[in-house]
Amino acid sequence: MVRYGIVGCGHIAKKHVSAIQADPGAVLVAVCDTNEERLKEFTIDGVIGYTDLADMLKADIDVVSICTPSGLHPALTIQVAEAKKHVIVEKPMALTLEDADRMIDACEENGVKMAVVHPNRFRPAIVELRKQIENEKFGTIGHANATVRWNRNQAYYDQAPWRGTKAMDGGVLMNQAIHNMDLLLWMMGDVDEVYTYDATRIRQIEAEDTSISVIRFQNGALGVLEAAVTIYPKNLEESLSIFGEKGSAVVGGPTANWIKTWDFEGLTEEEVAQVKEQITQDPWGMPGHECIIRDMTLAITEDRTPIVSGTEGRAALGLVVACQMSAESGKPIKMSTLKRNILTK
């Protein structure tokens, strides 16, 4: 059994607990939080609670899930890696590329694996879309579009003083749309250049609540990313659309779980209906966090790299950083200017 610990006993930690409990090859043995009251909810069924991570790392643990506010991820990841424990870190893995590189280096230097929580890759409709990319069913792709039209009201940000701050949390790109940016990169490949406008229009936060980006990918395709947490009165849409010379596909809904458009050269109406029905019967599939946990368990037992590695997590973070730089400077940003461990403007 792969033995797991969790640091940070907030809302997202509950998903990690459920995912570990659902994995037949894993067991949760310890949790850590500086707040003893929060620990009580998690220290059941033999799970030991710690208020000091250094103490928890002395226990017989193989993997630590980091579920703290984003700004704490780098230091905690490095501490865990130096204790020779594998790491699962919630998104975003860090708020700067310099921190992301330090995290990756620490894991490599200490011979431990890192996985970043981008669970949307495992949604059935997204998996099916990826198959069409791999099988070149689109032909030459013209453009892609990712949309996040969600509501995170002021009460959401007022829950804790770190929410919506640039130092500890980030805005709609870092917190919500980074998942969609990960999917864009997974489907479309590396980005050449991005131009972004952003604004803080409605929410009383330090970071942006609305962002619009135009993207040019290295393969020549274009893209648009629209992200907002200001939609009234509730989440309206999350979608990923890809358009090519031989195919058009849109995965959407309030969350990107359903196939809205599925047209490919040579595909009959009956075949299209069959794919849509298959997804409709199980639009969520295995919970994404469970997929991440199971993949880490297998990565350890099979001695391989996790599917969503630190390098993969860094790529999505890099696109967020480029968008932020563009919005701040009012200029397009070449991804080639984002060097490893060095950020040049």
Side-chain angles (χ1 to χ4, degrees):
M1 298 288 282
V2 175
R3 298 163 64 84
Y4 281 80
I6 295 173
V7 55
C9 293
H11 168 73
I12 202 65
K14 297 176 182 179
K15 292 190 175 183
H16 287 252
V17 171
S18 297
I20 294 165
Q21 291 174 338
D23 183 355
V27 59
L28 178 64
V29 298
V31 292
C32 178
D33 198 290
T34 56
N35 186 318
E36 294 187 18
E37 286 300 312
R38 284 202 296 261
L39 274 177
K40 291 179 181 179
E41 184 179 352
F42 291 81
T43 50
I44 57 176
D45 298 328
V47 177
I48 300 173
Y50 297 85
T51 56
D52 189 325
L53 178 58
D55 291 335
M56 188 180 83
L57 293 175
K58 296 174 185 176
D60 185 12
I61 296 172
D62 302 301
V63 188
V64 175
S65 284
I66 297 175
C67 303
T68 62
S70 303
L72 300 177
H73 291 175
L76 294 175
T77 294
I78 292 169
Q79 184 179 358
V80 170
E82 290 178 345
K84 310 298 183 182
K85 315 293 185 183
H86 304 290
V87 180
I88 295 176
V89 59
E90 269 293 336
K91 63 79 192 170
M93 63 183 293
L95 298 178
T96 70
L97 289 177
E98 292 90 338
D99 278 341
D101 289 336
R102 291 194 302 118
M103 295 160 71
I104 292 170
D105 287 347
C107 289
E108 290 179 351
E109 290 167 3
N110 288 281
V112 299
K113 304 179 190 300
M114 181 200 295
V116 182
V117 180
H118 282 295
N120 295 7
R121 290 194 187 195
F122 301 95
R123 293 175 176 175
I126 295 298
V127 170
E128 197 64 33
L129 183 60
R130 172 68 182 181
K131 289 179 183 177
Q132 307 313 304
I133 294 286
E134 291 174 345
N135 294 328
E136 300 181 348
K137 294 297 185 180
F138 286 94
T140 300
I141 295 176
H143 76 287
N145 179 285
T147 301
V148 184
R149 295 170 177 164
W150 280 359
N151 176 282
R152 295 292 184 270
N153 60 24
Q154 192 60 44
Y156 168 85
Y157 293 102
D158 291 344
Q159 291 178 70
W162 57 268
R163 288 189 180 272
T165 64
K166 293 181 179 180
M168 294 295 289
D169 190 29
V172 64
L173 290 182
M174 196 71 81
N175 246 344
Q176 284 79 31
I178 193 169
H179 285 308
N180 310 83
M181 297 160 105
D182 173 66
L183 294 182
L184 268 179
L185 293 169
W186 195 40
M187 301 292 176
M188 300 293 292
D190 293 336
V191 169
D192 173 42
E193 185 175 79
V194 62
Y195 194 106
T196 300
Y197 287 101
D198 70 17
T200 307
R201 292 287 297 164
I202 297 174
R203 304 296 173 235
Q204 296 177 32
I205 58 176
E206 182 183 15
E208 83 286 344
D209 61 18
T210 307
S211 179
I212 307 291
S213 299
V214 178
I215 299 167
R216 183 169 66 227
F217 295 93
Q218 287 187 6
N219 61 15
L222 302 180
V224 175
L225 172 69
E226 174 194 344
V229 287
T230 58
I231 306 305
Y232 179 85
K234 60 184 179 180
N235 290 359
L236 177 64
E237 176 188 4
E238 178 190 6
S239 63
L240 179 64
S241 308
I242 299 178
F243 304 102
E245 62 174 331
K246 298 180 180 179
S248 296
V250 178
V251 176
T255 55
N257 285 83
W258 290 267
I259 292 177
K260 299 297 184 181
T261 299
W262 200 258
D263 295 317
F264 293 93
E265 186 178 84
L267 202 63
T268 67
E269 291 184 5
E270 291 76 14
E271 290 170 323
V272 171
Q274 184 178 3
V275 173
K276 287 184 176 181
E277 177 60 24
Q278 176 185 334
I279 298 302
T280 300
Q281 289 178 1
D282 186 17
W284 293 97
M286 181 183 291
H289 280 76
E290 187 174 334
C291 293
I292 293 287
I293 294 292
R294 290 195 180 208
D295 178 61
M296 174 59 88
T297 298
L298 289 173
I300 292 169
T301 57
E302 298 171 359
D303 192 22
R304 61 166 173 80
T305 302
I307 292 174
V308 190
S309 65
T311 301
E312 295 279 305
R314 185 195 189 277
L317 175 63
L319 185 52
V320 173
V321 170
C323 290
Q324 291 173 335
M325 291 173 61
S326 176
E328 181 181 351
S329 66
K331 299 177 182 178
I333 296 296
K334 286 275 192 180
M335 294 301 294
S336 59
T337 64
L338 277 67
K339 305 297 185 183
R340 196 177 194 285
N341 289 316
I342 301 172
L343 194 59
T344 58
K345 296 186 180 181

